[in-house]
Amino acid sequence: MLCPKCKNPIDEGAVVCEWCGHIKKTPPPPPPPVNTNAGTVNNPVMTGNINYPYVIPSRPKNYMGRAVVATIISIFSGFILMPIGIVAIVYANKVETAYKSGDYSKARHNSLNAKKLSNLTIVLSIIFYGLVLLSKLAKIT
């Protein structure tokens, strides 16, 4: 390849001519490939300003089913653990509201709280049932 200014031979990949110092213009980079699966779970939708794009995270699970089951199980423990289950239902209900309003960190926080409180209610109910069963067995013998 020849330098366009001094016509001396230069390497194919050279950016600057070693004879005259002429800067060879490089072609612009190719455009990025077209994304055909935008908006899927593995490839979330990009939004925002072109200079400051941000990714919309996927909606976290609300654990409403688990919270309802935990509350129903806690009813049979003599209503002692029912308030924890109700709070879990409230947090599970707030997940969708926070996500739709754009507060993604609050939606994630509410989801984790609903999960923790539901699991806590279920575990404490099982422990309570075990203690009740042990006390009944102790009275029999």
Side-chain angles (χ1 to χ4, degrees):
M1 175 174 168
L2 297 176
C3 173
K5 186 174 180 185
C6 67
K7 306 296 184 209
N8 284 321
I10 58 173
D11 293 334
E12 188 68 35
V15 177
V16 178
C17 176
E18 61 188 38
W19 300 98
C20 67
H22 176 72
I23 298 174
K24 182 178 114 179
K25 291 185 179 179
T26 57
V34 177
N35 192 352
T36 58
N37 61 350
T40 61
V41 174
N42 294 331
N43 192 3
V45 177
M46 295 288 288
T47 60
N49 187 326
I50 191 73
N51 296 324
Y52 303 102
Y54 59 92
V55 177
I56 296 177
S58 60
R59 184 180 60 84
K61 289 180 66 174
N62 60 9
Y63 298 102
M64 180 63 81
R66 187 181 297 183
V68 169
V69 168
T71 305
I72 291 171
I73 290 173
S74 69
I75 290 173
F76 298 116
S77 65
F79 297 100
I80 295 171
L81 301 171
M82 193 170 122
I84 301 172
I86 292 172
V87 172
I89 290 174
V90 169
Y91 275 116
N93 193 29
K94 289 182 178 182
V95 171
E96 190 71 28
T97 308
Y99 183 79
K100 285 184 177 179
S101 69
D103 194 356
Y104 306 121
S105 62
K106 188 70 169 176
R108 176 87 173 126
H109 174 74
N110 290 336
S111 173
L112 291 175
N113 281 342
K115 181 180 178 182
K116 287 177 193 175
L117 291 173
S118 298
N119 290 342
L120 177 69
T121 304
I122 291 170
V123 168
L124 290 178
S125 294
I126 291 171
I127 291 171
F128 181 81
Y129 291 142
L131 291 175
V132 168
L133 184 65
L134 284 176
S135 69
K136 292 203 184 248
L137 287 175
K139 286 182 184 178
I140 293 173
T141 57

